[in-house]
Structures are given as C-alpha cells and as structure tokens.
Amino acid sequence: MQIPTSWNEKGYVCEPIPEGIDLPSEIRRLAKEKNAVILAHYYTDGALQDLADFVGDSLALAQQAAKTQADIIVMCGVHFMAETCKILCPEKRVVCPDLRATCSLAESCPADRFAAFVRQHPDHKVISYVNTTAATKAWTDIVVTSTNARQIVESFPKEQPLIFGPDRNLGAYINSVTGRQMLLWDGACHVHERFSVEKLIALRQQYPDAEVLVHPECKKVIADMADVVGSTAALLKHAVESPAQTFLVVTESGILHKMRQKAPEKTFIPVPPDDSLESEACAIAGTGQTPKCCACNECHYMRLITLEKLYNSLRHEWPLVEVAEEVRAKAIRPIQRMLEISQRLGL
Ligand code: 13P
Ligand code: SF4
C-alpha cells in the first residue's frame, strides 16, 4: 500500500495531544460536531469499542457503512474494512486512523497474482473473503464474510466450479461443511494460524465444562476441537445465549472485551498462541498488554489503532482512504451482491 510522503515525515501523531485533555469526551465532541460515525471491529482495543457508535464484525460494519447518514466514517479497524466503506460510500470522507493497519490475508493475495489465478480457471466463479484489497475484490464475482460464507457458497449450483480466496483455513472449513471442492488460494491469518494445539488441549483438561469457541480462520486441527465455529458476531451471540459458564476463546483476544461486557457472570479464557510465554494468571485475567508478557493473541494491525490516533484523525479528517474509481466500479458489484444475499437471508 502507498503511504503518503507527508505521512512518513510527520509520523503518526501529526500533532501532540493537548495536555490534560479528556480524550474520550473530546473524540465524542468532535464526532458530533463533524457528523462523523465511529465504527469499530471487535478486535480493537476495548477503549475504542466503548467509544464507537457501532461495534461489529466485518459484515455488520459494511452494513452500517452502507446505511449511515454521517458525512465522515471513521473506521477503527483494518484498511480493507475502511476501503469497503469508501467503495460503498464514495461521496463520504472515510478515515482510517493508521493506514498501516493492513491484514495478513489481504497482503497474501495481491490483485495481479489473484488475477492470473482467476484467468487460469475461466470456468470458475470467484468468491473472495472480505479480507482482501479493493483491487483483489475487483476480480471477484461475490464477496463473503465469515458470517455468510457458508450460505453464499451454497447458493451456487453444486456443479459450478468455485475459486475461494484468500484464506485456506476458512475455505477448507467451508468445503468440509458444504461438501464442495472449491479451489483455495493459499493465504492465512497470522493471528489465527498460530493458536497452540497443545495449550488448547491442556486448557480443555483444566476446564472440562468449558465450551470451545473457534473462528473459522483457525487451522483444521483447532476447528475440530470446537463446540462452535463461527464469525466474531456468531461466537459472541453463542457466548451470551449458551447455558455454559466458561469458554475457551480461540480468536483475537479483543472479542473478550465485548463477551465480558455482555455476559459479566461468565468466564472467558483466551487460548494462547504457540509462542506466548506461560502466564496463566494473565491469560485468565486477560489483562496483559503485549504478546511478550501475555497469553492473548492480538492482531498487531488492529492494535495500531489507538485513542490518540483516532482523536487526531477526527480532528484533521486524515488520513483519508481513497479507492480509484476504476477499481471501485468493479469492486462494488461483488460487495453489493453479498449485502443483497445477506439481507435476503436475514443476516
Ligand atoms: P469477522 O468477520 O468474524 O469479524 O472476522 C474478521 C477478521 O478479520 C477475522 O480475523
Ligand atoms: Fe487480518 Fe488476521 Fe488481523 Fe483479522 S486478525 S484483520 S484476518 S490479520
């Protein structure tokens, strides 16, 4: 991704935060004054989630963007989420507080390589996960998120050959539950790939009554141990509605903030990644700040978004997310198809 020169020169805090400022109330004041809506993904820091107008999974964030009346959309999430907002709302100013917040899946699927792959299989329909750049979406027939991937794949006739990219784990999971044999792009998420099988087994022995909640970007060996495999929104819903009291959570640890808010009487334990230091107290409290001292598995792209950057980006309406019109015109079709099917399915 192109990072503007001025961005490099100035760094990410374009102006120092005035001393003694109450950041959350200043952010809310600016958002109101500028008619801006703050959208946040479940993987962002809890303080950002608490400030946002709307917190959701990638499908819900796109749905919110598509219907907002705000003049400015501030995306506290990763770049492809902000790009989706800009594609849906080209007339609005879309701001992402740190443009370096990309995504390992989007990075794993550059548009030129994906286009070559698509061209090699002209009889295939192309399904891409929303975790892709706008340029990659432009090569796609329909976009999916983890909330609607299964239903959208099933909406194609069984004999229709399909390409699915970029997440090989989500693709393999959808193949296994639908009986399809989609051709898979070989991408993966650096967060979901590194959950520790051994540590999950040990936690299951320690908490035999706990339910295991797994995001479908995880490897098969982890998904096979799940009580529930689902999107962030589906895992949250299940955690609230299930009679179980304890949950082993195998997705980015930011989701625990909302789970604990929505079900304060329940216990949520983040399953650690392979390379975490052993620190059970930290894992259980979920209070550690960095992967070095903590069992939490964090997306370092999501964690680039901070309160300070949100404040500055609202103040300066910067950095703006732009999508070339030629790309936008192609990328909007598969996104709109996804939104239409999701609406029909009540998702
Ligand atoms: P959700 O669609 O479940 O929010 O997932 C987005 C994501 O980036 C998962 O890593
Ligand atoms: Fe991308 Fe993984 Fe971060 Fe989700 S958790 S935004 S898939 S890098």
Side-chain angles (χ1 to χ4, degrees):
M1 184 199 319
Q2 203 67 38
I3 294 174
T5 325
S6 59
W7 187 256
N8 291 335
E9 283 164 10
K10 288 184 178 175
Y12 279 81
V13 179
C14 30
E15 273 177 45
I17 305 291
E19 237 174 84
I21 194 173
D22 176 2
L23 266 185
S25 34
E26 268 306 290
I27 289 168
R28 287 305 331 158
R29 186 189 64 75
L30 280 170
K32 190 164 179 223
E33 183 183 296
K34 294 178 179 236
N35 190 27
V37 64
I38 302 174
L39 306 181
H41 190 269
Y42 290 125
Y43 292 165
T44 52
D45 187 81
L48 291 163
Q49 295 186 41
D50 291 346
L51 257 182
D53 295 290
F54 181 82
V55 186
D57 68 354
S58 13
L59 175 63
L61 292 174
Q63 288 167 328
Q64 282 294 317
K67 66 179 183 200
T68 186
Q69 298 296 316
D71 296 316
I72 303 174
I73 300 174
V74 185
M75 173 52 74
C76 295
V78 289
H79 188 263
F80 76 80
M81 296 174 177
E83 241 184 6
T84 304
C85 297
K86 186 66 185 175
I87 292 167
L88 289 166
C89 312
E91 73 296 348
K92 295 190 193 296
R93 292 165 84 74
V94 176
V95 172
C96 182
D98 192 327
L99 290 180
R100 296 170 305 174
T102 63
C103 162
S104 41
L105 280 170
E107 299 281 337
S108 79
C109 193
D112 54 344
R113 282 180 44 218
F114 193 62
F117 184 60
V118 168
R119 280 199 216 96
Q120 280 165 15
H121 303 94
D123 56 332
H124 285 57
K125 292 283 183 199
V126 184
I127 303 178
S128 61
Y129 195 27
V130 70
N131 299 41
T132 42
T133 62
T136 298
K137 287 185 179 79
W139 284 94
T140 294
D141 291 301
I142 190 158
V143 167
V144 299
T145 73
S146 46
T147 291
N148 56 29
R150 179 181 183 160
Q151 290 96 325
I152 288 181
V153 168
E154 282 175 336
S155 73
F156 286 93
K158 273 215 154 54
E159 57 286 359
Q160 171 63 57
L162 300 170
I163 283 175
F164 185 93
D167 188 7
R168 60 172 178 249
N169 293 326
L170 176 61
Y173 173 72
I174 300 295
N175 272 345
S176 74
V177 294
T178 61
R180 307 280 169 130
Q181 291 185 314
M182 299 187 292
L183 277 185
L184 306 181
W185 185 261
D186 193 19
C189 159
H190 74 293
V191 177
H192 290 88
E193 273 267 295
R194 66 191 191 109
F195 281 108
S196 165
V197 178
E198 290 73 23
K199 289 172 190 171
L200 175 55
I201 292 171
L203 281 167
R204 280 208 313 181
Q205 280 164 359
Q206 197 178 344
Y207 301 95
D209 296 331
E211 285 192 335
V212 179
L213 308 180
V214 172
H215 196 279
E217 289 174 19
C218 293
K219 288 184 284 198
K220 180 176 185 314
V221 59
I222 296 274
D224 284 347
M225 286 190 260
D227 291 291
V228 180
V229 178
S231 65
T232 48
L235 299 182
L236 178 62
K237 184 167 184 288
H238 180 85
V240 172
E241 292 173 358
S242 165
Q245 287 303 303
T246 307
F247 300 86
L248 304 177
V249 182
V250 202
T251 189
E252 211 271 2
S253 54
I255 188 73
L256 275 83
H257 180 72
K258 218 19 122 203
M259 286 176 170
R260 288 174 177 145
Q261 270 180 350
K262 292 206 168 219
E265 73 291 358
K266 297 185 179 181
T267 304
F268 298 99
I269 301 166
V271 172
D274 265 328
D275 51 1
S276 69
L277 296 183
E278 302 302 323
S279 171
E280 195 192 337
C282 182
I284 290 170
T287 54
Q289 292 302 304
T290 73
K292 281 190 188 64
C293 70
C294 172
C296 296
N297 193 358
E298 293 183 343
C299 172
H300 61 252
Y301 299 114
M302 289 279 184
R303 303 308 168 128
L304 285 171
I305 312 297
T306 61
L307 272 188
E308 288 77 12
K309 290 176 197 168
L310 169 58
Y311 170 72
N312 272 327
S313 63
L314 250 178
R315 196 157 57 138
H316 298 289
E317 297 170 31
W318 186 84
L320 290 172
V321 173
E322 303 289 358
V323 179
E325 183 51 31
E326 184 195 337
V327 174
R328 194 193 75 82
K330 291 182 185 153
I332 194 165
R333 281 176 284 176
I335 297 175
Q336 272 175 341
R337 261 179 222 134
M338 169 188 78
L339 293 177
E340 281 158 21
I341 295 192
S342 301
Q343 194 178 15
R344 237 181 290 141
L345 293 167
L347 297 171

